[in-house]
Amino acid sequence: MLTSRVMQVLSPRVLQGVCKRQFIRKFSQTPRLGSLREQLTQTTQENGIRTICLNNPQKRNALSLAMLHALEDDLMNDEYKEDLRVIIITHTGPVFSAGHDLKELTPKEGRRHHQKVFNTCSEVMMLIQELPVPVIAKVNGLATAAGCQLVATCDIAVATDTSRFATPGVNVGLFCSTPAVALGRSVPRKVALEMLFTGEPISAQDALLHGLVSRVVQEDKLDEETMKIANRICETSRSVTALGKATFYAQMNLERSKAYKIAGGVMTDNLSLNDGIEGIKAFIDKRKPTWTHTMEKP
């Protein structure tokens, strides 16, 4: 077990998020029809890599309430099983996602429904960063509004050189306030605000320059480069990666000295894990490590 001091920082946020999501899934009033769900997303998993494909190109892969629920289900399915090592979110059609379905945001739907849409979207975004495995956005096209938010939220993002990113809500009278949460934590403030105030798209190259995506490739290299990253992650210890991911996001919200204190404590705990011991021993012995992928100690 991790020390109580470190667990006090890392656990509550993650555990509360999981419990809340389970409550929402159990008591949500939104029907989850199997046929509709299959149309909205397609999911495969092989060699530890789960690929979730947004599959509603007719609606530009809009993050409707149904799409958000389907994505949430795909992300949470067996999320703590050791054979899941990394998740890739991709899409069919020329648009990664155009954001919320504006037909769900008319006065006819009412304030309660509007709030439900935004709350559910926020839950999915927080879920991505609370998962114990890295999540990669694989983008070949346009990502706007909440679609851009989804890219900004993912741990890693690989995009083609023709992809574009925008937060154009201001142009239809709905400022992209929730996308701004993820965007403002990914790119410099003035870049984020220009995108938010003007709604103008930025190129993949500018997205790379400002930190919205981590890699830009030619279209014919997108699959190859994304899989290189995913396969490299699969070579590491799942438990060590999970611990590192949780610590990274936890320390980002702390003052610098507190962040170092927490990170130092986690690294000390990391060294006492079986996989921490095995990794260093394998390095000294000049051999490949044999991971347990668990949080167990000797």
Side-chain angles (χ1 to χ4, degrees):
M1 295 293 292
L2 300 175
T3 62
S4 59
R5 177 171 58 82
V6 175
M7 288 294 286
Q8 286 174 358
V9 175
L10 298 183
S11 292
R13 183 178 66 89
V14 175
L15 293 178
Q16 289 171 12
V18 169
C19 292
K20 186 175 181 182
R21 289 193 302 273
Q22 289 175 340
F23 179 86
I24 290 172
R25 294 180 80 200
K26 184 175 180 181
F27 297 104
S28 172
Q29 296 178 355
T30 302
R32 295 186 176 180
L33 303 177
S35 59
L36 175 61
R37 183 198 176 287
E38 290 171 4
Q39 292 171 7
L40 295 178
T41 61
Q42 294 179 338
T43 304
T44 59
Q45 185 167 328
E46 185 177 0
N47 298 324
I49 302 170
R50 178 178 299 168
T51 300
I52 303 172
C53 183
L54 307 181
N55 187 42
N56 193 13
Q58 296 84 359
K59 286 201 168 186
R60 295 161 62 89
N61 292 318
L63 296 181
S64 62
L65 195 56
M67 175 71 90
L68 287 168
H69 282 316
L71 179 56
E72 181 184 40
D73 285 344
D74 292 337
L75 289 167
M76 292 185 69
N77 183 36
D78 294 333
E79 62 184 291
Y80 287 102
K81 281 196 172 182
E82 291 177 13
D83 59 352
L84 175 62
R85 306 300 314 288
V86 62
I87 296 173
I88 298 171
I89 300 177
T90 187
H91 61 105
T92 57
V95 178
F96 177 77
S97 174
H100 292 297
D101 184 349
L102 295 183
K103 291 182 179 179
E104 294 185 341
L105 303 179
T106 64
K108 175 185 174 183
E109 301 297 334
R111 180 182 178 87
R112 181 175 295 182
H113 181 80
H114 297 165
Q115 192 65 63
K116 186 175 184 179
V117 170
F118 296 129
N119 287 349
T120 302
C121 186
S122 296
E123 287 291 334
V124 171
M125 300 300 165
M126 290 189 290
L127 165 63
I128 287 171
Q129 295 185 350
E130 290 168 357
L131 287 171
V133 299
V135 181
I136 304 172
K138 176 181 165 186
V139 185
N140 182 24
L142 182 65
T144 66
C148 183
Q149 177 185 3
L150 180 56
V151 174
T153 298
C154 288
D155 304 308
I156 298 170
V158 184
T160 58
D161 52 9
T162 56
S163 295
R164 295 184 301 156
F165 306 86
T167 49
V170 68
N171 296 325
V172 296
L174 180 63
F175 199 86
C176 286
S177 295
T178 47
V181 174
L183 184 66
R185 284 164 169 76
S186 297
V187 305
R189 180 180 302 180
K190 289 180 173 58
V191 175
L193 288 172
E194 181 178 342
M195 291 179 66
L196 292 162
F197 290 153
T198 68
E200 289 296 313
I202 64 171
S203 67
Q205 289 76 13
D206 282 343
L208 177 64
L209 174 66
H210 298 306
L212 181 57
V213 302
S214 30
R215 191 172 299 192
V216 172
V217 300
Q218 293 181 347
E219 183 175 354
D220 61 354
K221 295 290 185 180
L222 180 61
D223 290 343
E224 177 185 344
E225 293 300 319
T226 304
M227 289 303 295
K228 277 184 183 178
I229 297 171
N231 286 323
R232 183 65 187 90
I233 291 170
C234 289
E235 294 175 5
T236 64
S237 163
R238 185 187 198 275
S239 54
V240 171
T241 298
L243 182 60
K245 176 175 173 175
T247 306
F248 176 83
Y249 286 113
Q251 64 83 27
M252 287 292 288
N253 297 319
L254 300 176
E255 183 270 330
R256 184 175 58 181
S257 63
K258 291 181 180 179
Y260 271 121
K261 184 176 181 180
I262 291 301
V266 171
M267 290 194 74
T268 301
D269 280 318
N270 192 159
L271 285 171
S272 66
L273 298 178
N274 283 335
D275 280 358
I277 295 170
E278 165 64 11
I280 290 179
K281 188 175 187 303
F283 178 82
I284 293 172
D285 294 344
K286 298 182 179 180
R287 60 174 174 81
K288 288 187 176 181
T290 302
W291 306 120
T292 67
H293 301 297
T294 71
M295 289 287 185
E296 293 178 358
K297 296 183 178 182

